[in-house]
Amino acid sequence: MKKFFLALLALALLVGGCGTAAEKVSDTRFAMDTFITIDAYGANGDDVMAAENSAFNKFQQIAIETDRFNDGGAGSLWQLNHAAAGQKVQLAPHTAAILDYCANKNGPEFDITLGAVSDIWLAAKEEGVVPDTAAVKEALSHSGRDKIIYDAATGTAVRHDSPTIIDLSAVAKGYAVDVAAQTLSESKNISAALVNGGGNIKVIGQKPDGKPWVIAVQHPRRENKVLGTITLQPGQAAATSGDYQRYYEAEGQRWHHLLSPQNGYPASLHQSVTVIAPTALEADYNSTLLFLKDNAAIKTYLNAHTKLAAIIVNHDGSLWVSPNMQQIWRPAQE
């Protein structure tokens, strides 16, 4: 749903030197069609690297299980999407955990069954055209909560419509960042770390030099500019959903990957939405959700979810910063 292209989210990372006896080890690998970077600190570089390897391995396993374009083995998302209608599938652990999370989300803006609609837009992008309205409508008819049943007690799922395609790209990367971060946290060799999964960010502990974790939010219309910076507390996470990293232009308009479950077309309310949350999964999910809501609905939602903070760049380029974001937000100097 979130990406018919598996996109880089638009959070640029600012990491300073440690300035202490702790060793910093940085490693970047490729998974989920994006670059995954881990910056970790510890007393011994070899031990830190071993912990990073474990975290990357967890991330890669989740990437394999949740890849809808390639067979990830028993219980993977690919196998669920290719099972016959009505066939119960015993899910792999990570796929089950993500579906369990999604099953408990009731907002009409969030729909993991838009894979067929996303594929229509992927094909249109390749041709540089706007999809046929009838084709989008037909694909949309195979989406909706009634098309899939997830059973938390057994960890199984059933699709009830063969053309329905489940797409977990709106949440899988955030989930994987959390698992990788948890793996690092469980290591006695890691004192602090930052996991950056293509812009889905989670920080662990306090930086050894005592300086805060600081990230920069990309300007959605100026490639080499940032809107400003956000100071994160240990344990916090961040994610951005935007219309500028993965898009194409046709018929004088910008067509991007964030699709409305109501009409199957890219939402046009905002240029970008950045969310700060307790977990990367929550940040990932909510950045998509809020991108599809209007401003009044966003404010109502944030009033009810006080652990979230957000920066909204509206369609006209105007900026709205939630009250609980303002103390940690520093606008860029022009």
Side-chain angles (χ1 to χ4, degrees):
M1 177 183 73
K2 187 174 184 178
K3 313 169 183 69
F4 60 63
F5 312 107
L6 297 178
L8 290 175
L9 291 180
L11 277 174
L13 175 63
L14 300 179
V15 180
C18 65
T20 73
E23 290 191 46
K24 177 184 175 183
V25 178
S26 298
D27 194 3
T28 299
R29 304 182 191 182
F30 196 78
M32 290 189 177
D33 206 32
T34 192
F35 290 102
I36 315 302
T37 297
I38 297 177
D39 295 287
Y41 298 89
N44 181 282
D46 290 338
D47 292 339
V48 174
M49 179 58 73
E52 287 188 359
N53 284 336
S54 295
F56 277 119
N57 289 340
K58 290 287 184 67
F59 201 106
Q60 184 61 37
Q61 181 56 44
I62 296 165
I64 291 169
E65 284 188 24
T66 60
D67 185 350
R68 76 178 179 91
F69 297 102
N70 296 283
D71 189 348
S76 64
L77 180 61
W78 189 93
Q79 292 207 348
L80 176 60
N81 279 330
H82 287 78
Q87 179 183 344
K88 184 181 292 187
V89 176
Q90 185 68 53
L91 298 173
H94 296 300
T95 306
I98 296 173
L99 280 180
D100 185 58
Y101 175 85
C102 295
N104 292 300
K105 299 301 180 183
N106 298 317
E109 297 88 358
F110 184 76
D111 190 345
I112 62 172
T113 65
L114 289 177
V117 184
S118 294
D119 286 347
I120 294 292
W121 285 96
L122 270 173
K125 185 264 180 183
E126 290 297 319
E127 298 178 10
V129 300
V130 180
D132 178 70
T133 301
V136 173
K137 185 176 181 180
E138 166 62 20
L140 193 63
S141 71
H142 299 292
S143 68
R145 289 182 176 274
D146 60 323
K147 302 299 191 298
I148 178 174
I149 300 298
Y150 170 72
D151 186 343
T154 62
T156 59
V158 178
R159 290 182 312 120
H160 291 293
D161 187 8
S162 291
T164 299
I165 300 175
I166 301 163
D167 186 341
L168 299 178
S169 60
V171 287
K173 203 175 281 116
Y175 172 85
V177 167
D178 280 334
V179 172
Q182 181 62 32
T183 301
L184 294 170
S185 296
E186 292 171 353
S187 171
K188 63 181 181 180
N189 300 310
I190 301 296
S191 59
L194 185 148
V195 182
N196 180 4
N200 289 270
I201 290 173
K202 174 79 171 178
V203 297
I204 303 164
Q206 185 71 44
K207 291 175 66 178
D209 60 3
K211 294 180 180 179
W213 299 104
V214 179
I215 59 173
V217 181
Q218 173 68 44
H219 194 298
R221 291 295 181 269
R222 301 179 187 177
E223 184 176 354
N224 297 316
K225 301 280 288 185
V226 299
L227 290 171
T229 61
I230 300 170
T231 300
L232 296 181
Q233 296 301 312
Q236 284 189 314
T240 295
S241 291
D243 68 359
Y244 52 93
Q245 281 283 350
R246 292 293 182 264
Y247 71 95
Y248 69 102
E249 294 182 355
E251 299 183 7
Q253 294 188 51
R254 176 187 298 247
W255 306 96
H256 59 82
H257 62 283
L258 295 158
L259 306 178
S260 166
Q262 279 68 52
N263 61 21
Y265 279 74
S268 59
L269 295 168
H270 312 293
Q271 294 180 13
S272 72
V273 172
T274 299
V275 171
I276 306 302
T279 70
L281 177 56
E282 287 290 322
D284 202 4
Y285 163 77
N286 282 290
S287 66
T288 299
L289 183 72
L290 297 189
F291 191 94
L292 300 171
K293 289 179 177 288
D294 62 32
N295 286 343
I298 287 174
K299 293 175 183 179
T300 299
Y301 185 85
L302 291 177
N303 284 337
H305 297 79
T306 57
K307 292 184 178 181
L308 304 178
I311 298 172
I312 312 296
V313 183
N314 294 308
H315 181 70
D316 62 3
S318 61
L319 191 70
W320 181 79
V321 181
S322 67
N324 58 348
M325 177 73 86
Q326 292 176 8
Q327 290 186 343
I328 61 174
W329 167 249
R330 178 172 293 182
Q333 299 298 315
E334 292 293 337

